[in-house]
Amino acid sequence: MESIVTNPLPNSNSDRVRRKKKKKTSAAAATATLKTNQQRQNQNQSNNHTRWKSEAQQQIYSSKLIQALSQVNLNGNHSSPSAPRRGRAVREAADRALAVAAKGRTRWSRAILTSRVKLKFRKEKRQRSGSVSAATVTGVTGRNRSRKQRFSVLKLKAKSVQRKVKVLGRLVPGCRKQPLPVILEEATDYIAALEMQVRAMSALADLLSGSGSATSSSPPTSQ
Amino acid sequence: MSSRGLRSRQSSGVSRIRDDQITDLVSKLQLLIPQLRRGRSHKVSASKVLQETRNYIRSLHREVEDLSHRLSELLASTDIDNDQAAIIRSLLM
């Protein structure tokens, strides 16, 4: 009975009003959650950046790092490995743990993990699929650029900028042959991740050096 | 930016999207780099941002190298076993 009273018309008005209300509340809720979730404009980017800055992420990484380090045989039962090799082993373990912490969402993390296992064909497959779409885009813009030379717009596409981005691509793992926007995106995430790595490793080093009883008894570095 | 007016005159919508995208990414990069963050928002060229990015990544790499070396020396005296690893982990939390 109540439903009949409140819904005189089966179709539009009340339904529309109700739908509008539903839309409003859901939209309001959505914007509210968006505001709480994102701190900057781009959603994906900000999630990545704030992720690396969070305490939780650093703790996850630290525990992964400690696990990895306990597996790296630094003491060497047969022969004590040289100092640079030990350092490199630690570095590789730290990088691998960082790549695992990235959960495979970024190219640089996948590149670190696959380079270890030497599955190069997998890397090439991803690069090929990614570069096809980018190649068509660059083809179109290249044609337009030659016809209409607008200097200030092309500042971003200037050869010096492109060269610098390529150089940057060599620093970020897995980005040697990637197009411009990909390299920039990977670099932003990579920097945030590296900063966290530095924070975690220095915390660990401080902890270990603080609790180390006799610092003078550390073995001399073999040269 | 005056380039926006020029951009709208371009026939290709694809290049417009890419320019915006690239400017956006470069400005985001600029925010991450400590040397460029001090209030100079629009005065830094893309080329400068990229240069500073490269320097910053290299300095981060060097820090990681030094820390790895330091950690390897700290850990060389004794390997960590599972119990010690758990203790260290709890101390870091």
Side-chain angles (χ1 to χ4, degrees), chain A residues 42 59 63 66 70 73-75 87 91 137-138 141 144 152-153 156-157 164-165 167 171 181 188 190 195 197-198 201 204-206 209 221, chain B residues 6 12 15 18-19 22-23 25 28-29 32 47 50 54 56-57 61 63-65 67-68 70 72-76 79-80 85 88-89 93:
Chain A
N42 198 345
Q59 284 170 10
S63 61
I66 293 168
S70 62
N73 191 5
L74 292 169
N75 215 4
R91 169 91 196 266
V137 168
T138 39
T141 52
N144 280 331
S152 52
V153 173
L156 290 168
K157 308 246 191 76
K164 291 207 162 76
V165 176
V167 167
L171 277 180
T188 44
Y190 189 51
E195 286 175 340
Q197 185 180 34
V198 167
M201 287 175 79
L204 182 60
D206 287 342
S209 61
T221 50
Chain B
L6 290 169
S12 151
S15 68
R18 276 201 75 206
D19 280 344
I22 293 175
T23 330
L25 290 170
K28 281 208 186 76
L29 210 48
L32 279 185
S47 159
L50 292 170
R54 178 166 170 253
Y56 189 48
I57 291 184
H61 277 170
E63 267 199 83
V64 172
E65 284 278 344
L67 284 168
S68 303
R70 195 172 151 209
S72 72
E73 289 192 333
L74 287 168
L75 295 168
D79 281 331
I80 343 176
I88 294 173
R89 226 174 294 147
M93 301 302 171

Short mmCIF file of all heavy atoms in Angstrom, two decimals, chain A residues 42 59 63 66 70 73-75 87 91 137-138 141 144 152-153 156-157 164-165 167 171 181 188 190 195 197-198 201 204-206 209 221, chain B residues 6 12 15 18-19 22-23 25 28-29 32 47 50 54 56-57 61 63-65 67-68 70 72-76 79-80 85 88-89 93:
data_model
loop_
_atom_site.label_atom_id
_atom_site.label_comp_id
_atom_site.label_asym_id
_atom_site.label_seq_id
_atom_site.Cartn_x
_atom_site.Cartn_y
_atom_site.Cartn_z
N ASN A 42 46.81 13.98 -10.47
CA ASN A 42 46.70 12.69 -11.12
C ASN A 42 46.56 11.57 -10.10
O ASN A 42 47.39 11.43 -9.23
CB ASN A 42 47.93 12.46 -12.00
CG ASN A 42 47.69 11.38 -13.02
OD1 ASN A 42 46.74 10.63 -12.90
ND2 ASN A 42 48.55 11.30 -14.00
N GLN A 59 58.13 -0.23 6.21
CA GLN A 59 58.27 -1.39 7.07
C GLN A 59 58.22 -2.68 6.28
O GLN A 59 58.99 -3.62 6.55
CB GLN A 59 57.16 -1.37 8.13
CG GLN A 59 57.44 -0.36 9.22
CD GLN A 59 56.24 -0.17 10.11
OE1 GLN A 59 55.27 -0.91 10.03
NE2 GLN A 59 56.30 0.84 10.96
N SER A 63 61.39 -5.31 6.22
CA SER A 63 61.36 -6.72 6.59
C SER A 63 61.79 -7.60 5.42
O SER A 63 62.49 -8.60 5.59
CB SER A 63 59.98 -7.12 7.11
OG SER A 63 59.01 -6.93 6.12
N ILE A 66 65.58 -7.38 5.28
CA ILE A 66 66.25 -8.16 6.32
C ILE A 66 66.23 -9.63 5.96
O ILE A 66 67.22 -10.34 6.10
CB ILE A 66 65.58 -7.92 7.68
CG1 ILE A 66 65.82 -6.49 8.11
CG2 ILE A 66 66.11 -8.87 8.72
CD1 ILE A 66 64.97 -6.08 9.27
N SER A 70 69.54 -11.85 5.27
CA SER A 70 69.88 -13.04 6.06
C SER A 70 70.17 -14.23 5.15
O SER A 70 70.84 -15.17 5.54
CB SER A 70 68.76 -13.38 7.03
OG SER A 70 67.58 -13.67 6.32
N ASN A 73 74.88 -14.84 1.86
CA ASN A 73 75.93 -15.36 2.71
C ASN A 73 77.12 -14.41 2.70
O ASN A 73 77.96 -14.43 1.82
CB ASN A 73 76.36 -16.73 2.22
CG ASN A 73 77.25 -17.42 3.21
OD1 ASN A 73 77.47 -16.91 4.31
ND2 ASN A 73 77.78 -18.56 2.85
N LEU A 74 77.13 -13.51 3.68
CA LEU A 74 78.18 -12.51 3.71
C LEU A 74 79.41 -13.00 4.42
O LEU A 74 80.50 -12.47 4.23
CB LEU A 74 77.66 -11.23 4.38
CG LEU A 74 76.59 -10.49 3.59
CD1 LEU A 74 75.96 -9.42 4.44
CD2 LEU A 74 77.19 -9.88 2.35
N ASN A 75 79.22 -14.00 5.27
CA ASN A 75 80.36 -14.42 6.07
C ASN A 75 81.25 -15.38 5.30
O ASN A 75 82.44 -15.44 5.52
CB ASN A 75 79.85 -15.07 7.37
CG ASN A 75 80.77 -14.78 8.52
OD1 ASN A 75 81.72 -14.04 8.38
ND2 ASN A 75 80.50 -15.38 9.65
N GLY A 87 79.53 -5.87 -0.82
CA GLY A 87 78.69 -4.67 -1.00
C GLY A 87 77.73 -4.84 -2.16
O GLY A 87 76.56 -4.46 -2.10
N ARG A 91 73.73 -4.78 -2.31
CA ARG A 91 73.02 -3.86 -3.21
C ARG A 91 72.01 -4.60 -4.05
O ARG A 91 70.88 -4.17 -4.23
CB ARG A 91 74.06 -3.16 -4.08
CG ARG A 91 73.48 -2.38 -5.24
CD ARG A 91 73.21 -0.97 -4.84
NE ARG A 91 72.33 -0.29 -5.78
CZ ARG A 91 72.75 0.45 -6.79
NH1 ARG A 91 74.02 0.60 -6.99
NH2 ARG A 91 71.88 1.03 -7.57
N VAL A 137 51.88 7.23 -32.37
CA VAL A 137 51.68 8.61 -31.89
C VAL A 137 52.82 9.50 -32.34
O VAL A 137 52.62 10.59 -32.86
CB VAL A 137 51.56 8.60 -30.35
CG1 VAL A 137 51.65 10.01 -29.80
CG2 VAL A 137 50.25 7.97 -29.96
N THR A 138 54.04 9.01 -32.15
CA THR A 138 55.18 9.85 -32.52
C THR A 138 55.22 10.07 -34.02
O THR A 138 55.64 11.12 -34.47
CB THR A 138 56.51 9.18 -32.10
OG1 THR A 138 56.43 7.79 -32.33
CG2 THR A 138 56.78 9.42 -30.62
N THR A 141 52.81 13.00 -34.77
CA THR A 141 53.31 14.31 -34.32
C THR A 141 54.53 14.74 -35.12
O THR A 141 54.76 15.90 -35.34
CB THR A 141 53.68 14.25 -32.84
OG1 THR A 141 54.56 13.14 -32.65
CG2 THR A 141 52.44 14.05 -32.02
N ASN A 144 53.36 16.45 -38.28
CA ASN A 144 52.82 17.79 -38.04
C ASN A 144 53.91 18.78 -37.71
O ASN A 144 53.85 19.93 -38.07
CB ASN A 144 51.81 17.74 -36.89
CG ASN A 144 50.48 17.22 -37.39
OD1 ASN A 144 50.15 17.41 -38.54
ND2 ASN A 144 49.75 16.56 -36.53
N SER A 152 57.58 27.69 -29.29
CA SER A 152 57.42 27.49 -27.86
C SER A 152 56.80 26.15 -27.53
O SER A 152 57.08 25.57 -26.51
CB SER A 152 56.60 28.62 -27.25
OG SER A 152 55.41 28.76 -27.99
N VAL A 153 55.93 25.66 -28.43
CA VAL A 153 55.34 24.35 -28.18
C VAL A 153 56.42 23.28 -28.26
O VAL A 153 56.41 22.32 -27.51
CB VAL A 153 54.24 24.06 -29.22
CG1 VAL A 153 53.75 22.65 -29.06
CG2 VAL A 153 53.10 25.03 -29.07
N LEU A 156 59.35 21.38 -25.60
CA LEU A 156 59.35 20.10 -24.92
C LEU A 156 59.84 19.00 -25.83
O LEU A 156 60.28 17.97 -25.38
CB LEU A 156 57.94 19.77 -24.43
CG LEU A 156 57.48 20.66 -23.29
CD1 LEU A 156 56.00 20.46 -23.06
CD2 LEU A 156 58.23 20.32 -22.03
N LYS A 157 59.71 19.19 -27.15
CA LYS A 157 60.13 18.14 -28.04
C LYS A 157 61.51 18.44 -28.60
O LYS A 157 61.99 17.74 -29.47
CB LYS A 157 59.14 18.02 -29.20
CG LYS A 157 57.72 17.88 -28.74
CD LYS A 157 57.14 16.56 -29.09
CE LYS A 157 55.65 16.53 -28.88
NZ LYS A 157 54.96 17.24 -29.96
N LYS A 164 68.11 14.45 -23.27
CA LYS A 164 68.21 14.33 -21.81
C LYS A 164 67.29 13.23 -21.30
O LYS A 164 67.63 12.52 -20.36
CB LYS A 164 67.85 15.67 -21.16
CG LYS A 164 68.88 16.73 -21.41
CD LYS A 164 68.89 17.77 -20.29
CE LYS A 164 70.17 18.57 -20.29
NZ LYS A 164 70.23 19.58 -21.34
N VAL A 165 66.12 13.12 -21.91
CA VAL A 165 65.20 12.09 -21.44
C VAL A 165 65.78 10.71 -21.77
O VAL A 165 65.64 9.77 -20.99
CB VAL A 165 63.81 12.26 -22.08
CG1 VAL A 165 62.90 11.13 -21.67
CG2 VAL A 165 63.21 13.58 -21.66
N VAL A 167 68.92 9.95 -21.86
CA VAL A 167 69.96 9.71 -20.85
C VAL A 167 69.32 9.25 -19.55
O VAL A 167 69.78 8.32 -18.89
CB VAL A 167 70.79 10.99 -20.64
CG1 VAL A 167 71.64 10.86 -19.40
CG2 VAL A 167 71.65 11.26 -21.84
N LEU A 171 69.32 5.53 -16.92
CA LEU A 171 69.51 5.41 -15.47
C LEU A 171 68.42 4.58 -14.82
O LEU A 171 68.66 3.89 -13.83
CB LEU A 171 69.48 6.80 -14.83
CG LEU A 171 70.77 7.59 -14.85
CD1 LEU A 171 70.54 8.92 -14.17
CD2 LEU A 171 71.86 6.85 -14.13
N PRO A 181 57.08 9.87 -22.49
CA PRO A 181 56.21 9.90 -21.31
C PRO A 181 56.41 8.70 -20.41
O PRO A 181 56.28 8.82 -19.18
CB PRO A 181 54.80 9.95 -21.90
CG PRO A 181 54.92 9.54 -23.31
CD PRO A 181 56.29 9.87 -23.74
N THR A 188 59.60 9.09 -12.11
CA THR A 188 58.98 9.64 -10.91
C THR A 188 58.77 8.56 -9.87
O THR A 188 59.05 8.75 -8.69
CB THR A 188 57.64 10.31 -11.23
OG1 THR A 188 56.89 9.47 -12.11
CG2 THR A 188 57.83 11.66 -11.88
N TYR A 190 60.36 5.70 -9.70
CA TYR A 190 61.67 5.16 -9.32
C TYR A 190 62.34 6.04 -8.27
O TYR A 190 62.93 5.53 -7.31
CB TYR A 190 62.55 5.06 -10.57
CG TYR A 190 63.84 4.33 -10.37
CD1 TYR A 190 63.86 3.06 -9.78
CD2 TYR A 190 65.04 4.88 -10.77
CE1 TYR A 190 65.05 2.39 -9.61
CE2 TYR A 190 66.23 4.21 -10.61
CZ TYR A 190 66.24 2.96 -10.02
OH TYR A 190 67.41 2.31 -9.85
N GLU A 195 64.20 6.80 -2.75
CA GLU A 195 64.26 7.56 -1.51
C GLU A 195 63.86 6.69 -0.33
O GLU A 195 64.47 6.74 0.74
CB GLU A 195 63.34 8.78 -1.60
CG GLU A 195 63.90 9.88 -2.49
CD GLU A 195 62.91 11.02 -2.65
OE1 GLU A 195 61.70 10.81 -2.41
OE2 GLU A 195 63.34 12.11 -3.02
N GLN A 197 64.12 3.45 -0.23
CA GLN A 197 65.19 2.48 -0.05
C GLN A 197 66.30 3.07 0.81
O GLN A 197 66.81 2.42 1.73
CB GLN A 197 65.73 2.05 -1.41
CG GLN A 197 66.75 0.95 -1.34
CD GLN A 197 67.27 0.56 -2.71
OE1 GLN A 197 67.39 1.41 -3.58
NE2 GLN A 197 67.60 -0.69 -2.89
N VAL A 198 66.67 4.31 0.51
CA VAL A 198 67.73 4.98 1.28
C VAL A 198 67.32 5.13 2.74
O VAL A 198 68.10 4.85 3.65
CB VAL A 198 68.07 6.34 0.65
CG1 VAL A 198 68.92 7.17 1.59
CG2 VAL A 198 68.81 6.14 -0.66
N MET A 201 67.40 1.60 4.40
CA MET A 201 68.73 1.05 4.59
C MET A 201 69.52 1.84 5.63
O MET A 201 70.28 1.25 6.40
CB MET A 201 69.48 1.03 3.26
CG MET A 201 68.96 -0.05 2.32
SD MET A 201 69.74 -0.01 0.71
CE MET A 201 71.28 -0.81 1.06
N LEU A 204 68.33 0.78 9.00
CA LEU A 204 68.87 -0.52 9.35
C LEU A 204 70.34 -0.41 9.74
O LEU A 204 70.79 -1.01 10.73
CB LEU A 204 68.71 -1.47 8.16
CG LEU A 204 69.20 -2.91 8.36
CD1 LEU A 204 68.46 -3.55 9.50
CD2 LEU A 204 69.01 -3.71 7.10
N ALA A 205 71.11 0.36 8.97
CA ALA A 205 72.53 0.51 9.25
C ALA A 205 72.74 1.19 10.60
O ALA A 205 73.61 0.78 11.38
CB ALA A 205 73.20 1.30 8.14
N ASP A 206 71.93 2.21 10.88
CA ASP A 206 72.05 2.88 12.18
C ASP A 206 71.76 1.93 13.31
O ASP A 206 72.44 1.91 14.34
CB ASP A 206 71.09 4.08 12.25
CG ASP A 206 71.58 5.23 11.39
OD1 ASP A 206 72.78 5.23 11.06
OD2 ASP A 206 70.77 6.11 11.06
N SER A 209 74.67 -0.55 13.60
CA SER A 209 75.91 0.03 14.09
C SER A 209 75.74 0.51 15.52
O SER A 209 76.69 0.52 16.29
CB SER A 209 76.35 1.18 13.19
OG SER A 209 75.35 2.17 13.20
N THR A 221 89.24 -4.15 5.83
CA THR A 221 88.81 -4.36 4.46
C THR A 221 90.00 -4.84 3.65
O THR A 221 91.06 -4.23 3.65
CB THR A 221 88.29 -3.07 3.84
OG1 THR A 221 89.24 -2.03 4.06
CG2 THR A 221 86.99 -2.66 4.50
N LEU B 6 48.91 28.59 -28.85
CA LEU B 6 49.44 28.06 -30.10
C LEU B 6 49.02 26.61 -30.27
O LEU B 6 48.74 26.16 -31.36
CB LEU B 6 50.97 28.15 -30.08
CG LEU B 6 51.51 29.57 -30.17
CD1 LEU B 6 53.00 29.59 -29.87
CD2 LEU B 6 51.26 30.14 -31.55
N SER B 12 46.31 18.59 -35.14
CA SER B 12 46.35 17.26 -34.57
C SER B 12 46.03 17.31 -33.08
O SER B 12 46.69 18.01 -32.33
CB SER B 12 47.73 16.65 -34.80
OG SER B 12 48.02 15.74 -33.78
N SER B 15 48.94 15.37 -30.76
CA SER B 15 50.14 16.02 -30.25
C SER B 15 49.80 16.94 -29.09
O SER B 15 50.59 17.16 -28.20
CB SER B 15 50.81 16.82 -31.37
OG SER B 15 49.99 17.91 -31.72
N ARG B 18 49.76 14.86 -26.03
CA ARG B 18 51.09 14.45 -25.61
C ARG B 18 51.84 15.61 -24.97
O ARG B 18 52.56 15.41 -24.01
CB ARG B 18 51.88 13.94 -26.80
CG ARG B 18 51.58 12.48 -27.07
CD ARG B 18 52.67 11.84 -27.87
NE ARG B 18 53.84 11.60 -27.07
CZ ARG B 18 55.06 11.51 -27.59
NH1 ARG B 18 55.24 11.68 -28.85
NH2 ARG B 18 56.09 11.25 -26.82
N ASP B 19 51.66 16.83 -25.49
CA ASP B 19 52.35 17.96 -24.88
C ASP B 19 51.88 18.19 -23.46
O ASP B 19 52.68 18.39 -22.56
CB ASP B 19 52.10 19.23 -25.71
CG ASP B 19 52.99 19.27 -26.92
OD1 ASP B 19 53.97 18.51 -26.93
OD2 ASP B 19 52.72 20.05 -27.83
N ILE B 22 53.25 15.52 -21.27
CA ILE B 22 54.67 15.65 -20.98
C ILE B 22 54.92 16.80 -20.01
O ILE B 22 55.71 16.67 -19.07
CB ILE B 22 55.47 15.85 -22.29
CG1 ILE B 22 55.40 14.58 -23.13
CG2 ILE B 22 56.91 16.19 -21.99
CD1 ILE B 22 56.04 14.70 -24.46
N THR B 23 54.24 17.92 -20.23
CA THR B 23 54.42 19.04 -19.29
C THR B 23 54.04 18.62 -17.88
O THR B 23 54.71 18.95 -16.91
CB THR B 23 53.51 20.23 -19.68
OG1 THR B 23 53.32 20.23 -21.06
CG2 THR B 23 54.11 21.53 -19.22
N LEU B 25 54.02 15.59 -16.61
CA LEU B 25 55.00 14.67 -16.03
C LEU B 25 56.25 15.41 -15.60
O LEU B 25 56.81 15.11 -14.54
CB LEU B 25 55.35 13.59 -17.06
CG LEU B 25 54.23 12.57 -17.34
CD1 LEU B 25 54.60 11.72 -18.53
CD2 LEU B 25 54.00 11.71 -16.13
N LYS B 28 55.64 17.21 -12.43
CA LYS B 28 55.60 16.28 -11.29
C LYS B 28 57.00 15.89 -10.86
O LYS B 28 57.30 15.78 -9.68
CB LYS B 28 54.83 15.02 -11.68
CG LYS B 28 53.37 15.23 -11.65
CD LYS B 28 52.65 13.94 -11.35
CE LYS B 28 51.16 14.18 -11.48
NZ LYS B 28 50.74 14.25 -12.88
N LEU B 29 57.83 15.67 -11.85
CA LEU B 29 59.22 15.33 -11.59
C LEU B 29 59.89 16.46 -10.82
O LEU B 29 60.64 16.23 -9.87
CB LEU B 29 59.92 15.12 -12.94
CG LEU B 29 61.08 14.14 -13.03
CD1 LEU B 29 60.73 12.84 -12.38
CD2 LEU B 29 61.41 13.92 -14.49
N LEU B 32 59.40 16.44 -7.18
CA LEU B 32 60.06 15.40 -6.42
C LEU B 32 61.50 15.73 -6.09
O LEU B 32 62.05 15.20 -5.14
CB LEU B 32 60.06 14.09 -7.22
CG LEU B 32 58.80 13.25 -7.21
CD1 LEU B 32 59.06 11.98 -7.97
CD2 LEU B 32 58.40 12.92 -5.80
N SER B 47 64.44 21.19 -19.59
CA SER B 47 65.80 20.69 -19.72
C SER B 47 66.51 20.69 -18.37
O SER B 47 67.20 19.74 -18.00
CB SER B 47 66.52 21.57 -20.74
OG SER B 47 67.89 21.45 -20.56
N LEU B 50 65.17 17.88 -16.16
CA LEU B 50 65.70 16.58 -16.53
C LEU B 50 67.14 16.43 -16.08
O LEU B 50 67.55 15.35 -15.62
CB LEU B 50 65.60 16.40 -18.04
CG LEU B 50 64.17 16.29 -18.54
CD1 LEU B 50 64.13 16.35 -20.04
CD2 LEU B 50 63.54 15.01 -18.06
N ARG B 54 68.46 13.65 -13.37
CA ARG B 54 69.54 12.72 -13.60
C ARG B 54 70.55 12.79 -12.47
O ARG B 54 70.97 11.75 -11.93
CB ARG B 54 70.20 13.06 -14.92
CG ARG B 54 71.38 12.20 -15.24
CD ARG B 54 71.79 12.36 -16.68
NE ARG B 54 73.06 11.71 -16.90
CZ ARG B 54 74.21 12.36 -17.08
NH1 ARG B 54 74.22 13.66 -17.08
NH2 ARG B 54 75.32 11.69 -17.26
N TYR B 56 70.03 13.74 -9.46
CA TYR B 56 69.44 13.25 -8.23
C TYR B 56 69.41 11.73 -8.19
O TYR B 56 69.73 11.10 -7.18
CB TYR B 56 68.03 13.82 -8.08
CG TYR B 56 67.41 13.56 -6.75
CD1 TYR B 56 68.08 13.80 -5.57
CD2 TYR B 56 66.11 13.06 -6.66
CE1 TYR B 56 67.52 13.55 -4.34
CE2 TYR B 56 65.52 12.83 -5.44
CZ TYR B 56 66.24 13.06 -4.28
OH TYR B 56 65.66 12.82 -3.06
N ILE B 57 69.03 11.12 -9.32
CA ILE B 57 69.00 9.65 -9.35
C ILE B 57 70.39 9.11 -9.14
O ILE B 57 70.59 8.12 -8.42
CB ILE B 57 68.41 9.13 -10.69
CG1 ILE B 57 66.92 9.45 -10.77
CG2 ILE B 57 68.61 7.63 -10.81
CD1 ILE B 57 66.24 8.90 -11.98
N HIS B 61 71.59 6.65 -6.21
CA HIS B 61 72.29 5.40 -6.47
C HIS B 61 73.56 5.32 -5.63
O HIS B 61 73.89 4.28 -5.05
CB HIS B 61 72.66 5.29 -7.95
CG HIS B 61 71.53 4.78 -8.78
ND1 HIS B 61 71.56 4.79 -10.16
CD2 HIS B 61 70.34 4.23 -8.45
CE1 HIS B 61 70.45 4.28 -10.62
NE2 HIS B 61 69.69 3.93 -9.62
N GLU B 63 74.19 6.82 -2.85
CA GLU B 63 73.84 6.62 -1.43
C GLU B 63 73.54 5.16 -1.17
O GLU B 63 73.99 4.60 -0.16
CB GLU B 63 72.60 7.45 -1.10
CG GLU B 63 72.93 8.82 -0.53
CD GLU B 63 71.74 9.41 0.20
OE1 GLU B 63 71.54 9.06 1.37
OE2 GLU B 63 70.99 10.18 -0.43
N VAL B 64 72.80 4.53 -2.10
CA VAL B 64 72.48 3.12 -1.92
C VAL B 64 73.75 2.28 -1.94
O VAL B 64 73.91 1.35 -1.15
CB VAL B 64 71.48 2.65 -3.00
CG1 VAL B 64 71.28 1.15 -2.92
CG2 VAL B 64 70.15 3.34 -2.82
N GLU B 65 74.67 2.63 -2.83
CA GLU B 65 75.95 1.91 -2.88
C GLU B 65 76.67 2.01 -1.56
O GLU B 65 77.14 1.01 -1.01
CB GLU B 65 76.83 2.52 -3.98
CG GLU B 65 76.45 2.16 -5.40
CD GLU B 65 76.99 0.82 -5.81
OE1 GLU B 65 77.91 0.31 -5.15
OE2 GLU B 65 76.47 0.25 -6.80
N LEU B 67 75.48 2.75 1.39
CA LEU B 67 74.75 2.05 2.43
C LEU B 67 74.94 0.55 2.29
O LEU B 67 75.06 -0.17 3.30
CB LEU B 67 73.27 2.41 2.38
CG LEU B 67 72.93 3.78 2.94
CD1 LEU B 67 71.50 4.16 2.58
CD2 LEU B 67 73.09 3.79 4.46
N SER B 68 74.95 0.05 1.06
CA SER B 68 75.16 -1.38 0.85
C SER B 68 76.52 -1.78 1.38
O SER B 68 76.67 -2.80 2.05
CB SER B 68 75.09 -1.74 -0.63
OG SER B 68 73.87 -1.35 -1.17
N ARG B 70 78.26 -0.26 3.65
CA ARG B 70 78.24 -0.15 5.12
C ARG B 70 77.52 -1.34 5.74
O ARG B 70 77.99 -1.94 6.70
CB ARG B 70 77.54 1.16 5.48
CG ARG B 70 77.75 1.59 6.91
CD ARG B 70 77.18 2.98 7.13
NE ARG B 70 76.75 3.14 8.50
CZ ARG B 70 75.77 3.94 8.91
NH1 ARG B 70 75.11 4.65 8.04
NH2 ARG B 70 75.46 4.01 10.19
N SER B 72 77.12 -4.27 4.42
CA SER B 72 77.86 -5.50 4.24
C SER B 72 78.96 -5.62 5.28
O SER B 72 79.24 -6.72 5.76
CB SER B 72 78.45 -5.55 2.83
OG SER B 72 79.51 -4.64 2.71
N GLU B 73 79.55 -4.50 5.65
CA GLU B 73 80.58 -4.56 6.69
C GLU B 73 79.96 -4.86 8.05
O GLU B 73 80.52 -5.62 8.85
CB GLU B 73 81.34 -3.24 6.74
CG GLU B 73 82.24 -3.05 5.54
CD GLU B 73 83.18 -1.89 5.74
OE1 GLU B 73 82.85 -0.97 6.51
OE2 GLU B 73 84.26 -1.92 5.14
N LEU B 74 78.80 -4.24 8.31
CA LEU B 74 78.16 -4.48 9.60
C LEU B 74 77.71 -5.92 9.73
O LEU B 74 77.70 -6.49 10.82
CB LEU B 74 76.97 -3.55 9.76
CG LEU B 74 77.30 -2.07 10.03
CD1 LEU B 74 76.05 -1.22 9.87
CD2 LEU B 74 77.87 -1.91 11.42
N LEU B 75 77.33 -6.51 8.60
CA LEU B 75 76.80 -7.87 8.67
C LEU B 75 77.88 -8.92 8.48
O LEU B 75 77.63 -10.10 8.66
CB LEU B 75 75.73 -8.05 7.59
CG LEU B 75 74.47 -7.20 7.77
CD1 LEU B 75 73.63 -7.23 6.51
CD2 LEU B 75 73.65 -7.72 8.93
N ALA B 76 79.07 -8.48 8.08
CA ALA B 76 80.10 -9.46 7.74
C ALA B 76 80.59 -10.21 8.97
O ALA B 76 81.01 -11.35 8.88
CB ALA B 76 81.27 -8.77 7.04
N ASP B 79 76.51 -13.56 10.40
CA ASP B 79 75.29 -13.66 9.60
C ASP B 79 74.09 -13.54 10.51
O ASP B 79 74.13 -13.97 11.67
CB ASP B 79 75.23 -15.01 8.88
CG ASP B 79 76.12 -15.02 7.66
OD1 ASP B 79 76.32 -13.94 7.08
OD2 ASP B 79 76.62 -16.09 7.30
N ILE B 80 73.03 -12.97 9.97
CA ILE B 80 71.83 -12.89 10.81
C ILE B 80 71.06 -14.20 10.68
O ILE B 80 70.78 -14.65 9.59
CB ILE B 80 70.88 -11.76 10.37
CG1 ILE B 80 71.58 -10.76 9.47
CG2 ILE B 80 70.29 -11.06 11.55
CD1 ILE B 80 70.61 -9.71 8.96
N ALA B 85 66.90 -11.79 12.93
CA ALA B 85 66.15 -11.05 11.91
C ALA B 85 64.82 -10.57 12.48
O ALA B 85 64.40 -9.44 12.24
CB ALA B 85 65.92 -11.93 10.69
N ILE B 88 65.47 -7.64 14.81
CA ILE B 88 65.77 -6.42 14.06
C ILE B 88 64.50 -5.83 13.47
O ILE B 88 64.26 -4.62 13.51
CB ILE B 88 66.80 -6.71 12.95
CG1 ILE B 88 68.15 -7.09 13.57
CG2 ILE B 88 66.98 -5.50 12.06
CD1 ILE B 88 69.16 -7.54 12.57
N ARG B 89 63.68 -6.73 12.92
CA ARG B 89 62.44 -6.26 12.29
C ARG B 89 61.56 -5.56 13.32
O ARG B 89 60.98 -4.52 13.06
CB ARG B 89 61.70 -7.45 11.70
CG ARG B 89 61.21 -7.20 10.29
CD ARG B 89 60.62 -8.44 9.70
NE ARG B 89 61.63 -9.48 9.50
CZ ARG B 89 61.38 -10.77 9.61
NH1 ARG B 89 60.19 -11.20 9.92
NH2 ARG B 89 62.33 -11.65 9.40
N MET B 93 60.18 -1.43 13.56
CA MET B 93 58.76 -1.05 13.41
C MET B 93 58.38 0.08 14.37
O MET B 93 58.82 0.06 15.50
CB MET B 93 57.86 -2.26 13.69
CG MET B 93 58.15 -3.42 12.78
SD MET B 93 57.97 -2.99 11.05
CE MET B 93 58.61 -4.42 10.26
#
